[in-house]
Amino acid sequence: MAAKDRDRFSTATRLRLLGEQTAARVYRSQNRRQARRSRLTGRAAFLALVVCSLVVALAYPMRQYVSQRDEIADQERMAQEAAARTEELRDEKARLQDDAYVRQLARKHLHYLLPGETGYTVIDPDAVKERNGETDESGRPWHSNLWDGVDSADRD
């Protein structure tokens, strides 16, 4: 045992033991440092900054592009509707050149009759009440309400 105690206190043994302890400390501190180290590196942070800058820089132009595409689609739709309406009006103009069509419209809308015909008009009973000057909800005829409105406007 004396040889073992002597080795324990020899300078070489102490230096070797001290080196092993120091290496163990360094190894432990590296492990701790790696565990604490963030996964976000400088390159990744710079890349994230560049991507965010691009998104911010392109957001407004993209919004403008989308809104302009919507406006273009609306204008194209309106142009198609106008073209369809123009075609309808051309057809109506061509029909109005026909005398038979004009006579048909006159008979229908103006109640014209050809000589020898007898015209009949069917009257809606609800419409008759309104046209004969009967009272409305206020209990007075419509023409009284009209003149009262004119008189009150004249006073103001």
Side-chain angles (χ1 to χ4, degrees), residues 33-46:
R33 211 177 294 139
Q34 287 176 354
R36 279 190 233 137
R37 182 188 255 176
S38 173
R39 293 179 185 247
L40 183 66
T41 63
R43 286 183 183 176
F46 181 72

Side-chain angles (χ1 to χ4, degrees), residues 81-131:
E81 289 174 0
R85 179 69 178 142
T86 302
E87 194 61 35
E88 290 173 8
L89 290 174
R90 283 188 183 138
D91 291 344
E92 182 71 18
K93 181 181 176 184
R95 277 182 280 180
L96 288 173
Q97 301 300 321
D98 184 19
D99 289 336
Y101 181 69
V102 173
R103 277 194 289 265
Q104 178 187 359
L105 288 178
R107 290 174 66 120
K108 181 179 178 184
H109 295 289
L110 302 175
H111 305 288
Y112 279 13
L113 300 174
L114 293 175
E117 290 182 338
T118 304
Y120 296 98
T121 304
V122 179
I123 299 174
D124 184 20
D126 295 331
V128 171
K129 289 180 185 176
E130 293 175 10
R131 294 172 92 196

Side-chain angles (χ1 to χ4, degrees), residues 18-148:
L18 187 61
E20 288 174 0
Q21 290 174 352
T22 306
R25 277 192 222 129
V26 168
Y27 179 74
R28 273 184 279 164
S29 69
Q30 284 178 349
N31 285 343
R32 281 190 213 139
R33 211 177 294 139
Q34 287 176 354
R36 279 190 233 137
R37 182 188 255 176
S38 173
R39 293 179 185 247
L40 183 66
T41 63
R43 286 183 183 176
F46 181 72
L47 180 64
L49 179 67
V50 168
V51 168
C52 289
S53 299
L54 286 175
V55 167
V56 168
L58 294 177
Y60 182 73
M62 286 304 292
R63 189 182 68 148
Q64 289 294 348
Y65 174 76
V66 169
S67 68
Q68 288 174 359
R69 293 303 302 169
D70 288 342
E71 288 178 21
I72 288 170
D74 287 343
Q75 292 296 326
E76 288 174 349
R77 181 188 47 80
M78 289 172 52
Q80 289 175 352
E81 289 174 0
R85 179 69 178 142
T86 302
E87 194 61 35
E88 290 173 8
L89 290 174
R90 283 188 183 138
D91 291 344
E92 182 71 18
K93 181 181 176 184
R95 277 182 280 180
L96 288 173
Q97 301 300 321
D98 184 19
D99 289 336
Y101 181 69
V102 173
R103 277 194 289 265
Q104 178 187 359
L105 288 178
R107 290 174 66 120
K108 181 179 178 184
H109 295 289
L110 302 175
H111 305 288
Y112 279 13
L113 300 174
L114 293 175
E117 290 182 338
T118 304
Y120 296 98
T121 304
V122 179
I123 299 174
D124 184 20
D126 295 331
V128 171
K129 289 180 185 176
E130 293 175 10
R131 294 172 92 196
N132 285 339
E134 291 186 13
T135 61
D136 60 357
E137 299 85 30
S138 65
R140 301 174 56 197
W142 67 269
H143 51 81
S144 299
N145 290 335
L146 176 69
W147 283 116
D148 288 344

